[in-house]
Amino acid sequence: LDGHVVGRVITEVEVHHERAIRRHLAGASDFAGRLRGHTVHAAQRRGKYLWLVLDGEQALLGHLGMSGQLRVQPEGAPDETHLRVRLRFADHGPELRFVDQRTFGGLTVTELVDDVPEPIAHIARDPLDPLFDPAAVVSAIRRRRSAVKRALLDQSLVSGVGNIYADEALWRAGLHGGWPTDALPVAKGRALLAAAGEVMTEALAAGGTSFDALYVNINGQSGYFDRSLNVYGQAGRPCNRCGATILREPFMNRSSYSCPRCQPAHLMGLASLRRTGAAASTS
Ligand SMILES: [Zn+2]
C-alpha cells in the first residue's frame, strides 16, 4: 500500500456494505466525509491492524478479519463480488478496494494518539517494528504466570505472531511452548523473539502463508510460505533438523506442532539447560 496510495488525495468514498464499517459508529456518511479531500501520508501496521495516516491526526484503520483484502485496481476494473468499500483518488489512478467475503474485517476512521490509532493503543509492537525492545518484552513475558506459547500469542506483550509463526519460532529457538514463562531463561527468550522476527521476515518475502486462496497481496496473488514450514502442519513427518517425528498437541481449540527432540518439554529442557549453563560457566 505504501507504494500505491501514499501521497494521493482521496476524492470519493463508496460504502457498499454497512457491516464493513460497523466499528465506525457514526455511520457511512461520516466515514466518507472524514476521508474525502484528505491526503494519505503513510501506510503503517501493528499486529493484525494496518492504517493509512491522514491529515489532521486521523487514520483509516483496517483489520482484514478472516477474509478481508485491500486491493489496488485500475478505475473501471470489474467490481469484485464481495466489494465492500471503494476509495477513488484525485489523480484518477488506481482505486483502493476493500473486499471481504465473510465481512469479519472492517474499516474505521479514528484519531491518532502518539502516532497510533486510538482503538489499538493497547497492542504491543511486533518484532519487526524498529522500536521493538526485545529486552523489555522478555522481561514482561517472564513476569507473566503463563506458558511461553500463550505469552507469545498475547498481543499486549508482542503482536503479529499467530499460531503458525509461534510454532515455527519455538522450533527455531529449540523451545517447547508449554514452558512456564517464569522459568524462561533470558537468553532463550531473546532467541525466541529473534526467531519470531526471522520467521516473519521470511514469510513476508514469500508473500505470506496461504492455506486459503483469500490471503492475497494487493494484486490478488497468494503467498507460498507454507512450503517453508518446519513444524506447523507437519505431524508425522521427520524434523528437518534432527529427524525425530513431529508431534501435534491440542492447544486452545487449535493445535501446536513441535519436535520432541529439539524442543524438550520443561523438566527435561531445564535439566539440559542446567548442563549447558554449567558447561558455559566452567569454560
Ligand atoms: Zn528436531
Side-chain angles (χ1 to χ4, degrees):
L1 287 176
D2 189 62
H4 290 84
V5 298
V6 170
R8 302 176 68 197
V9 179
I10 301 164
T11 48
E12 276 183 65
V13 180
E14 291 171 13
V15 176
H16 291 247
H17 197 310
E18 294 273 343
R19 188 169 150 74
I21 58 150
R22 66 195 176 283
R23 306 239 182 268
H24 194 89
L25 300 178
S29 60
D30 184 84
F31 176 84
R34 285 171 186 268
L35 293 173
R36 224 178 278 126
H38 288 274
T39 303
V40 178
H41 292 293
Q44 300 186 337
R45 52 135 250 289
R46 180 172 290 192
K48 295 169 184 169
Y49 290 85
L50 51 86
W51 66 91
L52 301 178
V53 176
L54 309 170
D55 324 296
E57 297 292 299
Q58 293 209 108
L60 173 61
L61 175 66
H63 189 297
L64 301 179
M66 295 295 286
S67 58
Q69 307 174 346
L70 283 163
R71 308 278 296 266
V72 175
Q73 295 278 44
E75 270 195 331
D79 286 359
E80 292 80 0
T81 309
H82 304 286
L83 175 65
R84 304 306 186 206
V85 178
R86 184 204 322 268
L87 304 188
R88 289 197 174 98
F89 296 87
D91 55 18
H92 297 288
E95 308 173 349
L96 180 61
R97 299 179 182 182
F98 180 65
V99 178
D100 194 353
Q101 180 177 321
R102 298 170 206 161
T103 328
F104 292 135
L107 303 175
T108 180
V109 183
T110 177
E111 310 295 315
L112 281 171
V113 179
D114 293 333
D115 297 330
V116 178
E118 191 273 328
I120 62 163
H122 62 287
I123 294 178
R125 294 180 188 278
D126 69 56
L128 302 185
D129 191 308
L131 296 179
F132 183 72
D133 181 349
V137 175
V138 170
S139 299
I141 289 174
R142 294 175 79 236
R143 285 196 297 271
R144 284 292 162 102
R145 290 176 171 274
S146 185
V148 169
K149 183 172 172 183
R150 278 175 182 263
L152 197 55
L153 294 173
D154 182 339
Q155 291 203 86
S156 68
L157 292 171
V158 52
S159 66
V161 185
N163 197 41
I164 299 173
Y165 299 160
D167 279 3
E168 293 297 309
L170 286 160
W171 180 82
R172 288 186 190 208
L175 196 57
H176 190 274
W179 268 63
T181 47
D182 57 5
L184 177 67
V186 171
K188 272 282 183 194
R190 292 291 289 265
L192 178 63
L193 294 177
E198 283 169 24
V199 170
M200 289 166 69
T201 301
E202 291 172 25
L204 281 166
T209 306
S210 56
F211 295 105
D212 186 326
L214 293 168
Y215 292 104
V216 296
N217 67 12
I218 56 160
N219 300 313
Q221 294 155 341
S222 290
Y224 51 86
F225 188 68
D226 51 308
R227 294 173 208 162
S228 308
L229 295 173
N230 284 298
V231 279
Y232 187 87
Q234 309 299 311
R237 299 208 185 129
C239 170
N240 285 338
R241 191 161 44 205
C242 76
T245 303
I246 300 296
L247 299 179
R248 183 178 72 84
E249 297 165 281
F251 174 78
M252 295 170 77
N253 296 322
R254 289 183 286 180
S255 295
S256 282
Y257 298 87
S258 63
C259 169
R261 195 176 295 159
C262 299
Q263 300 167 261
H266 176 233
L267 289 176
M268 278 168 60
L270 195 59
S272 78
L273 276 169
R274 280 191 179 133
R275 281 197 301 278
T276 316
S281 62
T282 53
S283 62

